[in-house]
C-alpha cells in the first residue's frame, strides 16, 4: 500500500524540483555519475494518437521532459502510431498543442513510429532470417486458443516450423497484399511455455487494410505496438525509456527483440500511472463519454483531458506543480482530486485579479440613497499582490446581491442580511434591511428594501461600527449580464468503477456535474475580460471566459475551482493519497 502520509508529505514540501526526488530521478543521476550512455540523457513522450491527452499523460510529460531538462538531455515527442484504425491527425494536432501548452518544447524532435515502418520491416526480415520469427496462418481466435492461460502453458502453432525461406517468401507476400486481412501474422518464435504470456510467440505483424493518417495506403501490414515500441526507442537512441507499470510484463519481450536484433538497448523503467478520485483516465472511456454525448466533446470543461482543464481555466503552472507534488512511485495509488484543485487554487490565488459578480441575483434598493447619484469606489485588485493596483467600482441606489446572502428567517449563526439586520457591502457601506417586497401573484421575493449608513464608507473610519459579515454586490445599472457555468465532479463515486454486480462505470456519472446560471451579473470591469485570463469572483471562486461558447454579446464564464480548500483540510487530517 502506498503510504498515506507519503503523498501528503510531499505535498507540503512545496512542489519544486529541488524539494523532491524519486527513484527514476535517482536512477538517471546515478547513470550519469557512472558515465553510462556516454553521459547522455535522452527520454521521449510516446503517445498513441488515438485520443486527447489527459492529466495522467501530464504526469508522464512532466517526468520525461522534466528529467531531460534537469539533466541537460533531450526529450523526443514520438507518436506511436501503429494502429491506423483508431488513430487520427485530429489527435496528433491536439497532442502537440497540449504538450506545448504544458510548457514543453521538442524542437526538431517530432517523430512517428510510422516513419520507421520500413526499418521495422527490415528488423522483422532480420528476425525471420535468424529463424526467430515465422508466418502463422492461425486466425486471431485460434491464436488465443493456442496461447494457453496464466496457469497452463500454450501450444506451438502448427506453422511454427516453417522453413526460413518459406517465411521470407510469405512475409514479403503479406506486404505485397496477397492475403486477406487477419489471415496471416508474423510471430516471434520465443517460448509457448513461458510463464510470461507476452513471450508466447507474440504477434509482430498483422494484415490490415486501413488508411494510415500519415503513411496513407503504402502498407497493408502493420507492426504491433509491442514490436514497434522498443525498436522505435532504440532507433532514436533513447537512454531511459520510461513507461507505466502495465508494461513491466512486456519488458522481457522488448529486451528479447533488442537483443536478438543486436541494436541499441534503452533501459526501460516503469512507474505507477496517475489515478484520480472521481475521474476516469482511460482514452477508451473518455472516447465513450464523447461519442455517447455524456459531455460536449474532448474539451468539455468537466473532462480530465488537458483540453478540458485548459478550457476550465486550470493553468499549466498548476498542473506542473501538481505533477511534481504527487511524486513518482512504483506502486499504484489514487490521488485525491482535491489535491489537483488545491494546486489550481494556489496558482490562481497569486495571479487572478479580484472582481465582484453575483451569480444568483436578488435586487436591493437603498431607499435613502439619491436616485441619480453614482459613486466610484476603490477596490483592491489583489491583496496578494499590491502591484496589481486598484480599480473603481460603481455604486448606486439599486444593487444586486447574492440570493444566498439574504434569509428572511435567519437560522442561528447567519450573520448576513435579514430583515432588521445589517451587513457590510464590500468596499462600500453598511446597509440595513427594512423591508421585503413580493410579487403579488407568486409571493416570490422581488426586491429587498434597505437603507445605507453614509457614515460607514469603507476606508473612512469615522463610524467605527462593525458588523459581522461583508458581502459582495454589483450596481444594477452598471453590471453586465453573463452566464456562469459551475462544475462538479463528473463521477459521484470516488472510484467510478465501483458498481454493483452487472453494472458499469457509466452508472456513476454525476447528473449534476454542470449547473448553468443564465442571469448572473458581473461588475463592468469584466467587460474587457479576455480568454485565457483568470479572475477571482470574490467569495465564489476562480473563473475564466469559456473559450468556445463565450462571445462579446453573451459572456460565459466557467468556474475553474471554488475557494473552499478541501485538500488543506485533508492534509491537516494526515490523509493524502488513498491506496489503490
Ligand atoms: P490510456 O490508458 O489513458 O488509454 P495509454 O497508456 O493508452 O493511455 P498512450 O498514448 O500510450 O496512452 O500514453 C502515452 C504515455 O503516457 C505512455 O508512456 C503512458 O504510459 C503514459 N500514460 C498514460 N496514462 C498515464 C497515467 N494515467 N499516468 C501516467 N502516465 C500515463
Ligand atoms: Mg498505451
Amino acid at each position: 500500500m502506498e503510504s498515506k502520509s507519503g503523498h501528503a508529505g510531499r505535498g507540503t514540501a512545496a512542489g519544486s524540483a529541488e524539494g523532491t526526488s524519486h527513484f527514476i530521478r535517482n536512477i538517471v543521476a546515478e547513470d550519469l555519475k557512472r558515465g553510462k550512455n556516454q553521459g547522455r540523457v535522452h527520454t521521449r513522450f510516446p503517445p498513441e494518437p488515438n485520443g486527447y491527452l489527459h492529466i495522467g499523460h501530464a504526469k508522464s510529460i512532466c517526468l520525461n521532459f522534466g528529467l531531460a531538462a534537469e539533466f541537460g538531455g533531450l526529450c523526443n515527442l514520438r507518436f506511436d502510431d501503429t494502429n491506423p484504425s483508431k488513430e487520427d491527425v485530429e489527435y496528433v494536432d491536439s497532442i502537440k498543442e497540449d504538450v506545448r501548452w504544458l510548457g514543453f518544447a521538442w524542437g526538431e524532435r517530432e517523430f512517428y513510429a510510422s516513419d520507421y515502418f520500413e526499418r521495422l520491416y527490415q528488423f522483422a526480415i532480420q528476425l525471420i532470417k535468424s529463424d526467430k520469427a515465422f508466418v502463422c496462418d492461425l486466425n486471431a481466435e485460434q491464436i488465443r486458443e493456442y496461447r494457453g492461460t496464466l496457469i497452463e502453458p500454450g501450444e506451438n502453432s502448427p506453422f511454427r516450423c516453417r522453413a526460413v525461406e518459406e517465411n521470407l517468401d510469405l512475409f514479403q507476400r503479406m506486404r505485397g497484399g496477397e492475403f486477406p486481412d487477419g489471415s496471416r501474422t508474423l510471430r516471434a518464435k520465443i517460448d509457448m511455455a513461458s510463464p510470461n504470456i507476452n513471450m508466447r510467440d507474440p504477434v509482430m505483424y498483422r494484415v490490415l487494410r486501413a488508411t494510415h493518417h500519415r503513411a496513407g495506403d503504402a502498407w497493408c501490414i502493420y507492426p504491433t505496438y509491442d514490436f514497434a515500441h522498443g525498436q522505435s526507442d532504440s532507433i532514436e537512441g533513447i537512454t531511459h525509456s520510461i513507461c507505466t507499470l502495465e508494461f513491466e510484463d512486456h519488458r522481457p519481450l522488448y529486451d528479447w527483440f533488442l537483443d536478438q536484433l543486436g541494436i541499441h538497448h534503452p533501459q526501460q523503467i516503469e512507474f505507477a500511472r496517475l489515478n484520480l478520485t472521481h475521474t476516469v483516465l482511460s482514452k477508451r472511456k473518455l472516447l465513450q463519454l464523447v461519442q455517447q454525448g455524456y459531455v460536449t466533446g474532448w474539451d468539455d470543461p468537466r473532462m480530465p483531458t488537458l483540453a478540458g482543464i485548459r478550457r476550465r481555466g486550470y493553468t499549466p503552472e498548476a498542473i506542473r506543480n501538481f505533477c511534481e507534488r504527487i511524486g513518482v512511485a512504483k506502486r499504484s495509488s489514487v490521488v485525491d482530486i482535491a489535491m489537483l484543485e488545491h494546486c489550481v487554487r494556489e496558482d490562481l490565488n497569486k495571479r487572478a485579479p479580484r472582481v465582484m459578480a453575483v451569480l444568483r441575483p436578488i435586487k436591493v434598493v437603498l431607499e435613502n440613497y439619491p436616485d441619480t447619484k453614482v459613486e466610484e469606489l476603490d477596490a483592491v485588485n489583489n491583496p496578494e499582490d499590491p502591484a496589481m493596483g486598484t480599480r473603481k467600482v460603481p455604486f448606486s441606489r439599486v444593487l444586486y446581491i447574492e440570493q444566498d446572502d439574504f434569509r428572511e428567517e435567519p437560522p442561528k449563526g447567519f450573520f448576513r442580511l435579514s430583515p432588521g439586520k445589517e451587513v457590510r457591502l464590500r468596499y462600500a457601506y453598511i446597509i440595513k434591511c427594512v423591508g421585503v417586497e413580493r410579487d403579488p401573484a407568486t409571493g416570490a421575493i422581488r426586491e429587498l428594501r434597505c437603507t445605507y449608513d453614509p457614515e460607514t464608507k469603507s476606508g473612512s473610519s469615522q463610524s467605527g461600527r462593525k458588523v459581522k459579515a461583508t458581502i459582495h454586490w454589483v450596481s444594477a445599472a452598471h453590471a453586465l449580464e453573463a452566464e456562469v457555468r459551475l462544475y462538479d465532479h463528473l463521477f459521484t463515486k470516488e472510484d467510478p468503477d465501483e458498481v454493483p454486480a452487472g453494472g458499469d462505470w457509466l452508472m456513476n456519472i454525476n447528473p449534476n456535474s454542470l449547473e448553468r446560471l443564465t442571469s448572473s451579473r458581473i461588475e463592468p470591469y469584466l467587460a474587457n475580460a479576455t480568454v485565457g485570463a483568470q479572475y477571482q469572483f470574490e467569495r465564489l471562486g476562480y473563473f475564466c471566459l469559456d473559450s468556445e461558447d463565450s462571445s462579446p454579446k453573451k459572456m460565459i464564464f466557467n468556474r475553474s475551482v471554488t475557494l473552499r480548500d478541501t485538500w488543506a483540510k485533508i492534509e491537516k487530517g494526515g490523509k493524502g493519497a488513498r491506496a489503490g
Side-chain angles (χ1 to χ4, degrees):
M1 287 210 349
E2 184 74 21
S3 99
K4 291 192 172 197
S5 57
H7 280 228
R10 265 196 291 273
T12 42
S16 65
E18 309 86 60
T20 51
S21 197
H22 53 72
F23 78 104
I24 301 183
R25 186 175 274 141
N26 295 342
I27 290 173
V28 174
E30 189 62 23
D31 287 349
L32 270 181
K33 213 163 80 189
R34 297 218 185 117
K36 196 174 160 185
N37 301 307
Q38 302 86 43
R40 283 189 314 119
V41 174
H42 201 150
T43 57
R44 85 286 175 266
F45 172 63
E48 188 187 347
N50 61 351
Y52 280 58
L53 297 182
H54 53 62
I55 180 83
H57 292 113
K59 176 177 180 178
S60 175
I61 294 168
C62 290
L63 182 58
N64 280 295
F65 280 94
L67 285 173
E70 191 179 332
F71 292 101
L74 298 171
C75 181
N76 297 353
L77 175 61
R78 185 181 69 246
F79 292 94
D80 270 339
D81 53 352
T82 55
N83 187 1
S85 48
K86 294 202 170 150
E87 296 159 4
D88 200 276
V89 278
E90 176 195 349
Y91 300 134
V92 171
D93 294 342
S94 75
I95 288 168
K96 290 200 280 188
E97 183 182 356
D98 290 347
V99 175
R100 233 180 262 127
W101 174 74
L102 261 188
F104 299 103
W106 55 92
E108 304 286 280
R109 294 176 313 284
E110 177 176 323
F111 299 115
Y112 294 81
S114 55
D115 289 347
Y116 309 140
F117 279 173
E118 185 59 40
R119 291 179 74 180
L120 292 168
Y121 179 81
Q122 295 304 331
F123 284 147
I125 297 276
Q126 186 183 335
L127 290 181
I128 295 172
K129 284 183 175 161
S130 53
D131 202 18
K132 294 293 176 189
F134 67 100
V135 172
C136 183
D137 299 0
L138 298 180
N139 63 30
E141 199 188 319
Q142 292 165 323
I143 289 181
R144 244 191 320 277
E145 281 163 17
Y146 275 80
R147 190 178 292 138
T149 65
L150 283 173
I151 45 171
E152 286 165 23
E155 261 179 79
N156 283 349
S157 158
F159 304 97
R160 198 178 200 262
C161 48
R162 273 182 167 144
V164 169
E165 284 313 314
E166 188 185 357
N167 283 322
L168 276 178
D169 174 60
L170 285 172
F171 187 51
Q172 277 152 12
R173 287 161 60 193
M174 276 169 68
R175 179 181 185 171
E178 280 189 39
F179 310 119
D181 285 10
S183 61
R184 286 194 157 92
T185 57
L186 182 73
R187 298 176 64 181
K189 202 186 261 192
I190 311 180
D191 178 9
M192 289 305 291
S194 170
N196 182 342
I197 291 186
N198 294 306
M199 301 298 273
R200 295 184 188 169
D201 293 4
V203 171
M204 296 162 55
Y205 271 88
R206 58 215 193 273
V207 181
L208 177 67
R209 281 160 185 86
T211 302
H212 190 279
H213 65 100
R214 280 175 70 82
D217 294 314
W219 295 84
C220 65
I221 57 171
Y222 288 97
T224 56
Y225 183 86
D226 276 349
F227 185 63
H229 184 74
Q231 278 66 262
S232 299
D233 278 348
S234 175
I235 289 168
E236 292 176 15
I238 299 304
T239 56
H240 299 85
S241 171
I242 300 167
C243 60
T244 37
L245 277 180
E246 68 271 23
F247 291 103
E248 197 165 21
D249 291 343
H250 296 239
R251 175 155 34 96
L253 175 59
Y254 298 171
D255 288 345
W256 186 90
F257 283 134
L258 295 170
D259 290 343
Q260 297 301 325
L261 292 167
I263 54 179
H264 167 70
H265 197 143
Q267 177 186 3
Q268 177 170 314
I269 309 167
E270 304 89 12
F271 70 100
R273 59 171 52 222
L274 169 67
N275 299 298
L276 267 186
T277 58
H278 300 285
T279 307
V280 298
L281 292 180
S282 138
K283 282 188 283 193
R284 186 180 55 75
K285 287 183 177 168
L286 296 176
L287 178 65
Q288 206 175 330
L289 292 175
V290 172
Q291 285 180 337
Q292 297 180 6
Y294 289 99
V295 294
T296 56
W298 285 99
D299 68 345
D300 186 302
R302 292 166 293 180
M303 289 281 271
T305 52
L306 297 182
I309 62 188
R310 171 168 62 238
R311 186 170 162 192
R312 173 90 170 253
Y314 288 21
T315 57
E317 291 82 356
I319 293 164
R320 291 200 304 264
N321 191 244
F322 169 74
C323 290
E324 188 61 38
R325 282 184 182 199
I326 55 176
V328 178
K330 229 2 193 193
R331 256 165 304 155
S332 30
S333 63
V334 182
V335 174
D336 197 316
I337 195 165
M339 184 178 173
L340 174 61
E341 291 161 358
H342 170 82
C343 292
V344 173
R345 197 176 283 122
E346 194 179 60
D347 182 49
L348 295 183
N349 180 42
K350 285 179 286 186
R351 67 172 76 226
R354 274 56 170 167
V355 293
M356 291 197 285
V358 175
L359 300 191
R360 301 172 184 88
I362 179 172
K363 193 185 272 183
V364 167
V365 178
L366 302 178
E367 295 184 336
N368 59 338
Y369 197 86
D371 228 355
T372 53
K373 182 169 171 182
V374 178
E375 282 180 86
E376 296 284 334
L377 305 176
D378 287 311
V380 175
N381 286 336
N382 189 349
E384 300 283 316
D385 181 3
M388 286 171 76
T390 61
R391 70 183 184 288
K392 297 288 185 191
V393 183
F395 184 84
S396 65
R397 178 180 158 89
V398 183
L399 311 169
Y400 288 113
I401 65 166
E402 210 67 67
Q403 285 170 20
D404 275 358
D405 285 333
F406 173 78
R407 290 287 184 89
E408 198 159 21
E409 285 160 28
K412 199 163 174 282
F414 184 88
F415 298 118
R416 290 166 277 165
L417 198 61
S418 55
K421 292 280 162 36
E422 290 187 321
V423 75
R424 174 170 282 286
L425 297 180
R426 182 93 160 127
Y427 303 120
Y429 300 94
I430 293 176
I431 62 166
K432 180 180 191 169
C433 177
V434 296
V436 174
E437 237 175 57
R438 298 176 179 283
D439 184 315
T442 64
I445 296 179
R446 210 165 47 186
E447 65 185 41
L448 305 177
R449 309 295 295 186
C450 296
T451 55
Y452 87 111
D453 178 349
E455 301 300 307
T456 57
K457 189 168 176 176
S458 291
S460 65
S461 54
Q462 294 104 309
S463 83
R465 282 211 295 127
K466 289 236 182 321
V467 287
K468 282 203 168 129
T470 300
I471 64 173
H472 61 273
W473 53 274
V474 293
S475 164
H478 303 89
L480 311 169
E481 203 167 325
E483 175 175 327
V484 172
R485 296 177 180 172
L486 307 180
Y487 300 102
D488 195 0
H489 303 139
L490 202 42
F491 293 90
T492 49
K493 289 250 172 72
E494 275 194 8
D495 176 4
D497 285 323
E498 188 197 316
V499 285
D504 82 355
W505 58 284
L506 290 167
M507 293 173 58
N508 287 326
I509 288 210
N510 178 2
N512 304 314
S513 57
L514 167 63
E515 186 180 0
R516 292 171 62 165
L517 305 172
T518 50
S519 54
S520 301
R521 299 292 198 285
I522 57 179
E523 68 165 88
Y525 178 78
L526 283 170
N528 300 319
T530 50
V531 168
Q534 268 91 8
Y535 303 91
Q536 185 193 103
F537 291 3
E538 291 207 33
R539 300 175 63 226
L540 298 170
Y542 294 97
F543 295 78
C544 66
L545 271 190
D546 186 82
S547 55
E548 293 303 309
D549 298 344
S550 187
S551 71
K553 262 174 80 188
K554 189 184 179 208
M555 295 179 107
I556 300 177
F557 285 88
N558 292 321
R559 177 152 71 188
S560 313
V561 67
T562 61
L563 295 178
R564 209 172 349 106
D565 194 337
T566 46
W567 176 252
K569 275 194 214 124
I570 291 167
E571 225 177 17
K572 261 197 202 146
K575 228 170 64 153
R578 239 159 255 106

